């Protein structure tokens, strides 16, 4: 599967696994419960966060993950934006933060400003088209995960 | 007023281009309606009963004559020749075609206007005291802060998909004219003992089906912390506001369910954490840069007494009524504040035609430094008129139909679009408003009634603010028939209160008689000079319940 990572289209090296069936080979993105209960040693593990899983509840474990995937079951549920911001600013998480679920071109600009750097664009959408999202705006007012000072101080 | 720099301009232009592309993708079918819905709403585009409706932002209600001329041109070219002033100081167009909306946005951008965040579950266009900068009771001009917050909230990446819509209001005066206690966040700019500016912050006010009065969660947020403190509130809300039930999703419910103390302590904790993470305080230099756009216009030094005005007031009774009712005193000697009434029997409250807009723009140039304001009571204001010009201005306004001497009276009613336009409505509101203004058109009677805020909504969403009307009317629908519930005792000002429902709804034909009965009771029991709301507060709802007896005496059945 192709994803957008660091503003480029790349082949994804990760596999989602929900804990049912045989454990696939390779690097896995799993829900918190699966990570807690199953032996996944010897591979890279990514954590899948649902909107109800607050990153603050797993601060001590964040180092164990090579990736955090934040799920948007519906694009209307905007909690994930705050979670990404908190992961970056508050908990200093510096590895990949990936948006999954209802991810479309029109949300990606905001997502990257909140600290996401990878996106699994919905399967029925043109991923090449989604790449244009980064160019929607060339100026922004506020500070953000990628912008330490507000516009008026930048100039 | 604030003038865009190249960055501000670039942002609205890029927004227009982005929306043009979204419309294209919608028309080609690439975007499904429910996906497009959220995108168009964030740009003020609703789908109403007959057509799309585009809501254009008028930040804190301030407009230039040049902008108004553009709004007029849009009404002519893309609409049916009129616009509608809303209860949040914006202007709506009721009939644009989807294909035309990108062009409208391009046109708006040429006069530094846009429709950004006038709808959707995001931070909405910010409203403010319509007398900011000219009111005598003002302590701090809130407009620079409202503008700073407009910029900060524009495309805020973290808060574009909140649980529900989110509204800010600003005042800097002693008397609250911006209904700050009925907003998600209300800010009152104040000065502390040492003269520093800060904000009293009210959270969790609102109307809708669960009306609530906002609570003070901080009585002095220093201006440097305005943005960070707001960010803390927004972040607590974005994470913990309810998303399971649209009717419980506003911040007022979160504040209510957590309790003010717990809510406040979460905000404080978030604020402290943001500080540790390098939150940037709002610079004094930036406040001064923006404030420079809101300095006083070039006032002439005039005596406060104006002989010509005094003479005209003596000579012309109609003029003197208008002066008494629609003109307010100004902080500057020799100047006055003029309300243009957009309430007139036969016209939906807040409607203004393209031709009227042009006249108003010319009058603004001639008499009020080329600027005007919109009010949440759906009127317009010329803030800086020389007293010596009042008589001439009055004559021109009369010719345009905006000199009805009814500001603050029962005719100055606010009213939502209701079933004539709105898909959520339970009942019509505009035709009822029309009946009321036609029935109660005797100005002597209206003056005798004094200040009386009548507000009407076509459903429980309360866009017509009925909860805070001294008399409120709410349209409901029972088995396909429209009924109208009456509430009494609401108040949107500093003495905020929520109106109490009197009882069962009245059928359409009975609403006028019921109002007549209420007013009769009031006139009977008021003390000399007592306003309706004060009488109600003194005697309570009980004496007014007699309207139901009158109602059954007329042979109507509940
Ligand atoms: S109060 Fe109801 S009917 Fe009136 S505009 Fe709002 S949603 Fe529509």
């Amino acid at each position: 599967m192709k994803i957008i990572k660091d503003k480029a289209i790349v082949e994804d090296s990760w596999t989602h696994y929900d804990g049912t069936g045989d454990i696939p080979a390779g690097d896995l993105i799993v829900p918190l419960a699966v990570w807690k209960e199953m032996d996944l040693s010897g591979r890279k593990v990514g954590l899948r966060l649902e909107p109800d899983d607050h990153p603050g509840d797993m601060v001590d474990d964040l180092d164990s993950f090579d990736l955090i995937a934040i799920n948007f079951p519906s694009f209307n549920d905007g909690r994930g934006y705050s979670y990404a911001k908190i992961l970056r600013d508050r908990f200093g998480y510096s590895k990949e933060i990936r948006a999954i679920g209802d991810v479309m071109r029109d949300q990606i600009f905001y997502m990257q400003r909140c600290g996401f750097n990878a996106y699994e664009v919905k399967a029925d959408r043109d991923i090449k088209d989604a790449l244009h999202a980064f160019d929607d705006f060339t100026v922004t007012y506020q500070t953000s995960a990628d912008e330490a000072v507000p516009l008026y101080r930048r100039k | 007023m604030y003038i865009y720099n190249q960055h501000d301009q670039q942002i609205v232009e890029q927004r227009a281009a982005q929306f043009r592309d979204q419309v294209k993708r919608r028309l080609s079918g690439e975007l499904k309606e429910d996906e497009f819905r959220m995108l168009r709403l964030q740009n003020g585009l609703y789908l109403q009963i007959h057509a799309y409706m585009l809501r254009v932002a008028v930040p804190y209600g301030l407009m230039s004559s040049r902008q108004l001329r553009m709004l007029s041109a849009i009404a002519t070219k893309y609409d049916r020749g009129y616009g509608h002033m809303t209860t949040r100081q914006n202007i709506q167009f009721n009939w644009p075609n989807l294909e035309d909306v990108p062009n409208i946005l391009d046109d708006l951008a040429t006069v530094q206007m846009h429709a950004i965040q006038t709808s959707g579950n995001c931070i909405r266009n910010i409203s403010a005291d319509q007398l900011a900068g000219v009111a005598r009771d003002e302590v701090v001009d809130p407009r620079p802060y409202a503008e700073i917050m407009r910029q900060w909230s524009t495309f805020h990446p973290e808060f574009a998909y909140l649980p529900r819509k989110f509204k800010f209001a600003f005042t800097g005066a002693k008397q609250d004219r911006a209904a700050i206690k009925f907003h998600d966040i209300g800010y009152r700019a104040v000065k502390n003992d040492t003269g520093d500016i800060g904000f009293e912050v009210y959270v969790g006010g609102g109307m809708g089906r669960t009306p609530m009065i906002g609570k003070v969660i901080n009585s002095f947020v220093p201006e440097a912390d305005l943005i960070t403190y707001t960010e803390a509130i927004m972040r607590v809300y974005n994470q913990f506001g309810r998303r399971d039930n649209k009717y419980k999703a506003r911040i007022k419910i979160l504040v209510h369910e957590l309790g003010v103390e717990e809510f406040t302590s979460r905000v404080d904790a978030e604020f402290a954490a943001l500080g540790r993470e390098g939150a940037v305080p709002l610079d004094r230099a930036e406040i001064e840069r923006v404030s420079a756009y809101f300095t006083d216009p070039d006032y002439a030094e005039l005596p406060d007494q104006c002989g010509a005005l005094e003479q005209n007031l003596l000579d012309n009774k109609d003029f003197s009524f208008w002066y008494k009712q629609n003109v307010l005193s100004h902080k500057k000697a020799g100047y006055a504040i003029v309300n243009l009434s957009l309430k007139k029997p036969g016209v939906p409250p807040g409607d203004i035609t393209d031709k009227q807009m042009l006249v108003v723009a010319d009058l603004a140039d001639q008499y009020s430094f080329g600027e005007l304001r919109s009010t949440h009571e759906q009127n317009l204001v010329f803030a800086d008129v020389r007293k010596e010009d009042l008589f001439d201005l009055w004559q021109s306004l009369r010719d345009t139909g905006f000199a009805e001497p009814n500001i603050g009276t029962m005719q100055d009613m606010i009213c939502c679009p209701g079933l004539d336009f709105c898909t959520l409505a339970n009942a019509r509101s505009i035709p009822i408003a029309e009946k009321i203004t036609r029935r109660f058109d005797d100005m002597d009677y209206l003056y005798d009634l004094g200040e009386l805020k009548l507000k009407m909504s076509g459903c429980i969403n309360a866009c017509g603010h009925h909860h805070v009307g001294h008399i409120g009317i709410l349209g409901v629908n029972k088995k396909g028939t429209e009924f109208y519930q009456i509430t009494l005792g609401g108040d949107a000002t500093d003495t905020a209160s929520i109106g109490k429902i009197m009882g069962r709804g009245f059928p359409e034909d009975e609403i006028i008689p019921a109002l007549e009965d209420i007013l009769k009771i009031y006139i009977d029991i008021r003390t000399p000079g007592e306003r309706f709301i004060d009488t109600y507060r003194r005697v309570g709802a009980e004496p007014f319940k007699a309207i139901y007896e009158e109602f059954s005496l007329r042979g109507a059945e509940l």
Side-chain angles (χ1 to χ4, degrees):
Chain A
M1 192 183 82
K2 299 239 187 275
I3 63 162
I4 294 176
K5 188 173 170 191
D6 299 328
K7 301 192 180 179
I9 297 173
V10 297
E11 193 60 44
D12 187 18
S13 60
W14 293 80
T15 308
H16 287 277
Y17 175 57
D18 67 4
T20 56
D22 294 338
I23 302 184
D27 303 336
L28 297 180
I29 299 173
V30 299
L32 191 65
V34 172
W35 175 72
K36 279 188 178 149
E37 283 154 27
M38 298 179 79
D39 177 13
L40 301 170
S41 51
R43 63 178 91 218
K44 285 190 188 168
V45 178
L47 172 68
R48 174 190 172 111
L49 279 185
E50 298 298 333
D52 284 336
D53 304 330
H54 195 281
D57 297 339
M58 52 208 74
V59 186
D60 298 338
D61 297 323
L62 292 175
D63 279 348
S64 330
F65 304 110
D66 287 287
L67 168 162
I68 293 176
I70 297 178
N71 188 29
F72 290 82
S74 152
F75 66 85
N76 283 317
D77 189 332
R79 282 178 280 183
Y81 295 88
S82 288
Y83 295 168
K85 196 83 173 33
I86 289 172
L87 281 168
R88 292 287 190 226
D89 296 352
R90 191 152 305 164
F91 305 139
Y93 189 80
S94 58
K95 294 177 221 169
E96 178 175 333
I97 300 182
R98 177 185 291 202
I100 61 174
D102 209 0
V103 178
M104 290 173 289
R105 171 186 166 164
D106 302 285
Q107 282 77 41
I108 289 178
F109 186 82
Y110 286 156
M111 286 173 170
Q112 58 120 10
R113 295 208 69 213
C114 288
F116 289 93
N117 69 322
Y119 315 87
E120 291 184 13
V121 179
K122 254 167 110 173
D124 60 343
R125 296 311 146 99
D126 182 352
I127 192 167
K128 282 203 214 77
D129 182 55
L131 262 188
H132 294 304
F134 300 107
D135 307 325
D136 278 347
F137 294 94
T138 56
V139 227
T140 51
Y141 285 117
Q142 318 79 356
T143 59
S144 67
D146 58 354
E147 190 60 80
V149 295
L151 178 63
Y152 67 82
R153 277 201 195 172
R154 281 176 240 153
K155 296 296 184 257
Chain B
M1 64 189 280
Y2 185 72
I3 307 289
Y4 283 7
N5 63 22
Q6 100 222 37
H7 299 302
D8 304 313
Q9 186 63 31
Q10 225 170 345
I11 286 171
V12 295
E13 285 173 9
Q14 292 179 350
R15 167 52 142 201
Q18 181 195 39
F19 194 67
R20 182 177 291 280
D21 183 65
Q22 288 167 347
V23 169
K24 196 175 90 197
R25 287 187 285 138
R26 172 67 193 125
L27 292 171
S28 75
E30 184 194 326
L31 278 174
K32 301 186 192 104
E33 174 52 28
D34 79 307
E35 294 163 355
F36 181 58
R37 195 174 159 270
M38 220 43 214
L39 303 174
R40 66 170 161 76
L41 285 179
Q42 304 241 356
N43 217 8
L45 190 64
Y46 284 77
L47 192 51
Q48 296 209 306
I49 293 180
H50 312 286
Y52 281 99
M53 177 273 275
L54 180 67
R55 183 181 293 151
V56 176
V58 182
Y60 36 93
L62 197 55
M63 259 179 292
S64 68
S65 55
R66 178 164 168 251
Q67 292 176 325
L68 189 60
R69 286 192 187 95
M70 178 54 80
L71 295 172
S72 166
I74 288 168
T76 309
K77 190 166 170 197
Y78 302 108
D79 204 273
R80 296 190 179 171
Y82 71 98
H84 174 78
M85 305 308 307
T86 76
T87 54
R88 288 199 82 253
Q89 300 175 293
N90 296 316
I91 181 165
Q92 290 176 184
F93 294 106
N94 283 315
W95 306 96
N97 289 318
L98 180 56
E99 295 82 345
D100 289 333
V101 173
N103 298 330
I104 299 177
L105 296 181
D106 284 346
D107 288 354
L108 287 171
T110 65
V111 294
Q112 313 194 341
M113 293 189 97
H114 57 76
I116 296 165
Q117 289 167 215
T118 53
S119 176
N121 293 340
C122 49
I123 301 171
R124 298 289 188 87
N125 182 49
I126 294 169
S127 62
D129 183 353
Q130 68 267 20
L131 303 188
V134 295
R136 286 197 165 167
D137 67 336
E138 186 165 280
V139 179
V140 178
D141 186 345
R143 292 172 301 172
Y145 300 96
E147 173 58 27
I148 286 166
M149 295 306 276
R150 180 193 75 81
Q151 297 185 10
W152 170 81
S153 61
T154 297
F155 305 139
H156 197 295
E158 193 179 336
F159 307 128
Y161 295 95
L162 296 168
R164 202 72 179 87
K165 59 187 168 185
F166 207 95
K167 299 174 180 176
F168 293 172
F170 275 84
T171 185
K174 294 202 176 107
Q175 190 193 337
D176 174 17
R177 287 170 290 261
I180 59 169
K181 292 184 188 173
F182 288 96
H183 279 77
D184 295 285
I185 305 181
Y187 302 87
R188 188 200 299 268
V190 292
K191 282 187 180 162
N192 67 8
D193 297 343
T194 49
D196 303 322
I197 296 174
F199 295 86
E200 202 173 80
V201 178
Y202 291 81
V203 175
M207 314 239 193
R209 73 183 55 209
T210 324
M212 286 191 192
I213 297 172
K215 323 272 184 310
V216 186
I217 65 162
N218 195 318
S219 53
F220 194 84
V221 174
E223 60 175 14
D225 295 335
L226 175 63
I227 287 176
T228 308
Y229 193 77
T230 303
E231 197 155 296
I233 297 172
M234 299 310 301
R235 186 174 280 170
V236 168
Y237 173 57
N238 191 40
Q239 296 179 88
F240 305 110
R242 284 180 64 170
R243 292 176 186 265
D244 58 326
N245 179 340
K246 145 175 189 207
Y247 299 113
K248 302 205 161 148
R250 294 290 287 268
I251 196 172
K252 61 189 172 189
I253 303 293
L254 180 66
V255 173
H256 180 74
E257 289 182 352
L258 290 178
V260 183
E261 225 166 280
E262 169 64 15
F263 177 81
T264 309
S265 80
R266 287 195 195 188
V267 170
D268 290 345
E270 188 62 44
F271 177 74
L274 285 166
R276 289 191 296 273
E277 290 153 20
V280 182
L282 178 55
D283 296 348
R284 188 89 267 278
E286 172 64 359
I287 297 170
E288 277 159 20
R289 177 186 80 85
V290 177
S291 297
Y293 292 101
F294 297 97
T295 50
D296 282 348
D298 230 342
Y299 291 130
E301 290 307 322
L302 301 167
D304 201 34
Q305 289 276 340
C306 172
L309 170 65
E310 300 302 327
Q311 194 55 47
N312 284 321
L313 287 172
L314 289 173
D315 293 348
N316 191 316
K317 204 164 146 240
D318 287 344
F319 176 60
S320 74
F321 282 139
W322 174 79
Y323 179 80
K324 183 162 172 271
Q325 209 63 39
N326 292 18
V327 178
L328 297 167
S329 61
H330 196 285
K331 68 172 187 186
K332 179 75 185 168
Y335 281 83
I337 302 164
V338 173
N339 275 293
L340 281 61
S341 172
L342 268 56
K343 315 294 171 64
K344 197 184 171 163
V347 182
D351 273 15
I352 177 167
T353 68
D354 48 358
K355 293 196 184 62
Q356 287 173 324
M357 288 185 223
L358 292 179
V359 177
V360 170
D362 289 346
L363 293 175
D365 283 341
Q366 198 177 345
Y367 295 111
S368 197
F369 298 96
E371 286 183 12
L372 68 153
R373 291 120 184 262
S374 51
T375 79
H376 79 270
E377 297 191 309
Q378 301 179 285
N379 294 310
L380 296 173
V381 166
F382 286 166
D384 301 292
V385 181
R386 287 179 184 216
K387 284 185 173 174
E388 60 198 32
D389 289 339
L390 284 173
F391 190 71
D392 291 344
L393 173 60
W394 170 68
Q395 288 178 308
S396 304
L397 288 177
R398 229 175 21 162
D399 297 341
T400 325
F402 291 153
E404 294 288 320
N406 58 8
I407 297 292
T409 71
M410 189 170 156
Q411 267 203 357
D412 185 14
M413 143 184 9
I414 79 174
C415 167
C416 79
L419 200 54
D420 294 292
F421 294 99
C422 175
T423 48
L424 303 170
N426 283 326
R428 288 160 307 144
S429 50
I430 292 172
I432 309 303
E434 209 170 308
K435 278 192 186 182
I436 294 172
T437 44
R438 281 190 199 284
R439 163 60 187 85
F440 298 99
D441 66 345
D442 174 351
M443 293 317 292
D444 289 335
Y445 180 64
L446 292 179
Y447 292 156
D448 179 54
L449 291 174
E451 185 190 297
L452 212 175
K453 305 264 182 205
L454 181 64
K455 302 181 196 253
M456 177 159 52
S457 308
C459 82
I460 193 63
N461 288 320
C463 305
H465 301 178
H466 67 277
H467 293 300
V468 294
H470 297 172
I471 301 180
I473 301 177
L474 165 65
V476 292
N477 189 310
K478 276 187 223 147
K479 301 194 186 102
T481 310
E482 292 159 56
F483 285 87
Y484 295 87
Q485 257 179 12
I486 292 183
T487 57
L488 296 183
D491 176 2
T493 69
D494 294 288
T495 41
S497 56
I498 291 159
K500 227 178 129 203
I501 299 172
M502 291 302 291
R504 304 178 62 180
F506 292 89
E508 186 183 338
D509 288 343
E510 286 294 330
I511 190 80
I512 297 269
L515 286 174
E516 287 168 347
D517 292 339
I518 288 171
L519 297 174
K520 238 185 274 165
I521 295 168
Y522 158 62
I523 287 171
D524 281 350
I525 59 179
R526 69 178 169 185
T527 60
E530 194 178 42
R531 296 181 310 160
F532 180 89
I533 181 76
D534 299 322
T535 303
Y536 176 84
R537 283 184 175 149
R538 179 168 55 80
V539 303
E542 220 32 58
F544 292 97
K545 297 249 160 90
I547 61 175
Y548 287 96
E549 287 156 37
E550 299 290 333
F551 180 41
S552 26
L553 285 176
R554 284 192 296 273
E557 255 179 65
L558 277 178

